[in-house]
Amino acid sequence: MPKVTVLIAVYNASAYLNKCIDSILGQTLTDLQVVCVDDCSTDNSLSILKDYEQHDHRVEVVHLEQNVGLAKARNIALARASGDYICMVDADDWYSLDAMQLAADILDAHKKTGCVLFRFVLAFPSGQGFSLKDFPSAEFSVMSGAEACRMSLTWQIHGIYMVRADIHKRYPYDETCRVYSDENTCRMHYAVSEEVRSCSGVYFYRQHNQSVTHSVTVHRFDRLKAKESLMAQLKTVDVGLDMTGILTNQLWLDVVDLYMFLYVHGRELTEAERRYGLGELKRVWSTIDRTLLDPQAHRKLGYRHMPTWTLFRLQEWIYFTLRGFLGKNK
């Protein structure tokens, strides 16, 4: 029987930890290693983790004296992984009790398969329970790793899965940024897998607005460096498909979206943060290969590259001012 390692990076998640860890320890597949890295929490997350460690030998707890961010914390957990297969769970999410077994069975049966996607379900708090909704992911049984990588770039498929340990250890979490760059990892795992499959085991993704990706913070601009890091990484592997055009268009959409963020929320940032954000936008604007941009989208107001940075900024000001009058800058 295979052994599965589950990686959990924890930061101030005491309200959610019991549901998360109980869903792992209650799995029908019992040969588990659960590596929990407490990323210098300031609540009682660590004491909760220590209690689980004391009562179940499968739980291992690492406490960090300094907050290092999600990707690095997960890599610290990954370094301790001893399982044949690896998956992760955010500390506020949970799995169906059969998820590990279903995914591991597929990896056992199909040696060419590198990754197995779980069913990804969005969980919206509702009263004492949750309202559940499937993530709009393409349905499939099996596809090539290159195709899975391509589809993941535009979120046609998600990035919640179980992966063979040798793949994950060759391609650990991308630590380029404190946020966003960890998403690159699934794309690389798909890219180097001969096959990618799916299973019916469920990952429940709790919905709330407490994450950095929903907050007004200068770290929003990390999306740019994270996307550039992915472009560089994919160039190092032969996946049989040219991802450059797709990624260039995704990066361009990020530029426009982040300009709206700066337009709407700039006053909530410090002057130094505004300068940094504008500098990042200009830097990436100057590197975009306009010949790779989708002509149909590129002709739209707000999405034209423009011959100079000054003209581009003028266009964005006009575009988001008009959108503001219509109440669309959200």
Side-chain angles (χ1 to χ4, degrees):
M1 291 293 293
K3 180 179 181 180
V4 173
T5 296
V6 183
L7 314 177
I8 311 178
V10 179
Y11 178 70
N12 290 352
S14 59
Y16 314 116
L17 272 177
N18 292 112
K19 188 173 186 64
C20 174
I21 298 178
D22 287 347
S23 80
I24 305 301
L25 299 181
Q27 290 289 310
T28 55
L29 189 154
T30 58
D31 193 2
L32 296 168
Q33 176 196 27
V34 186
V35 185
C36 307
V37 176
D38 177 67
D39 194 11
C40 197
S41 294
T42 57
D43 64 1
N44 66 330
S45 291
L46 181 60
S47 64
I48 294 173
L49 295 175
K50 288 290 188 181
D51 186 62
Y52 276 104
E53 184 180 43
Q54 183 178 355
H55 290 92
D56 195 314
H57 71 278
R58 297 174 297 175
V59 179
E60 301 177 20
V61 178
V62 179
H63 172 60
L64 304 181
E65 298 291 342
Q66 182 177 356
N67 183 268
V68 298
L70 182 62
K72 190 171 185 63
R74 285 183 183 165
N75 279 336
I76 291 170
L78 178 62
R80 298 172 67 107
S82 60
D84 303 288
Y85 311 137
I86 298 173
C87 59
M88 71 87 201
V89 59
D90 286 337
D92 51 354
D93 301 336
W94 67 99
Y95 279 101
S96 64
L97 298 182
D98 60 354
M100 303 296 146
Q101 188 71 65
L102 291 169
D105 284 348
I106 291 176
L107 287 169
D108 280 349
H110 301 280
K111 301 305 180 185
K112 293 182 180 180
T113 298
C115 302
V116 176
L117 274 69
F118 296 103
R119 179 182 161 204
F120 190 30
V121 173
L122 309 178
F124 299 85
S126 177
Q128 297 301 311
F130 294 90
S131 173
L132 304 178
K133 181 181 179 181
D134 278 279
F135 180 85
S137 185
E139 294 185 11
F140 71 99
S141 175
V142 58
M143 68 173 74
S144 71
E147 182 64 9
C149 179
R150 185 191 67 78
M151 293 182 69
S152 73
L153 296 178
T154 51
W155 294 105
Q156 292 173 272
I157 63 171
H158 59 75
I160 304 297
Y161 58 100
M162 184 178 289
V163 59
R164 295 187 186 276
D166 64 312
I167 292 177
H168 207 333
K169 295 203 172 186
R170 275 191 288 135
Y171 297 95
Y173 290 100
D174 184 349
E175 298 180 19
T176 301
C177 308
R178 287 181 66 89
V179 290
Y180 300 113
S181 63
D182 64 292
E183 297 175 356
N184 295 343
T185 306
C186 74
R187 280 74 185 255
M188 291 303 296
H189 290 174
Y190 296 163
V192 300
S193 296
E194 191 168 343
E195 295 176 346
V196 171
R197 295 178 182 266
S198 63
C199 74
S200 58
V202 183
Y203 182 103
F204 295 96
Y205 181 45
R206 186 188 299 264
Q207 299 293 287
H208 54 66
N209 295 320
Q210 297 178 13
S211 68
V212 171
T213 56
H214 292 96
S215 304
V216 177
T217 167
V218 72
H219 289 299
R220 288 281 193 98
F221 295 98
D222 288 351
R223 283 166 56 186
L224 302 174
K225 287 182 178 177
K227 192 66 60 64
E228 290 172 322
S229 175
L230 177 59
M231 294 175 75
Q233 290 179 67
L234 282 174
K235 289 178 181 179
T236 67
V237 296
D238 181 13
V239 296
L241 293 174
D242 185 5
M243 309 288 185
T244 306
I246 298 172
L247 285 167
T248 299
N249 278 276
Q250 289 293 305
L251 187 58
W252 182 241
L253 293 176
D254 284 342
V255 169
V256 176
D257 185 59
L258 287 168
Y259 206 105
M260 182 179 75
F261 169 76
L262 193 61
Y263 179 93
V264 174
H265 296 291
R267 292 182 180 180
E268 300 172 59
L269 303 174
T270 67
E271 183 179 349
E273 289 172 338
R274 289 194 297 272
R275 286 200 304 268
Y276 171 78
L278 194 61
E280 279 294 279
L281 291 171
K282 182 179 181 181
R283 180 184 65 77
V284 175
W285 171 87
S286 69
T287 67
I288 293 290
D289 184 347
R290 285 181 288 178
T291 65
L292 296 177
L293 295 178
D294 178 4
Q296 185 174 356
H298 189 222
R299 285 194 291 266
K300 296 179 181 178
L301 177 65
Y303 292 85
R304 297 173 183 171
H305 188 275
M306 307 303 284
T308 69
W309 172 244
T310 300
L311 286 175
F312 175 72
R313 290 193 65 186
L314 177 61
Q315 172 194 225
E316 300 308 284
W317 182 85
I318 294 171
Y319 179 56
F320 291 120
T321 298
L322 292 174
R323 283 176 58 94
F325 288 145
L326 298 174
K328 293 184 177 180
N329 288 339
K330 298 179 181 178

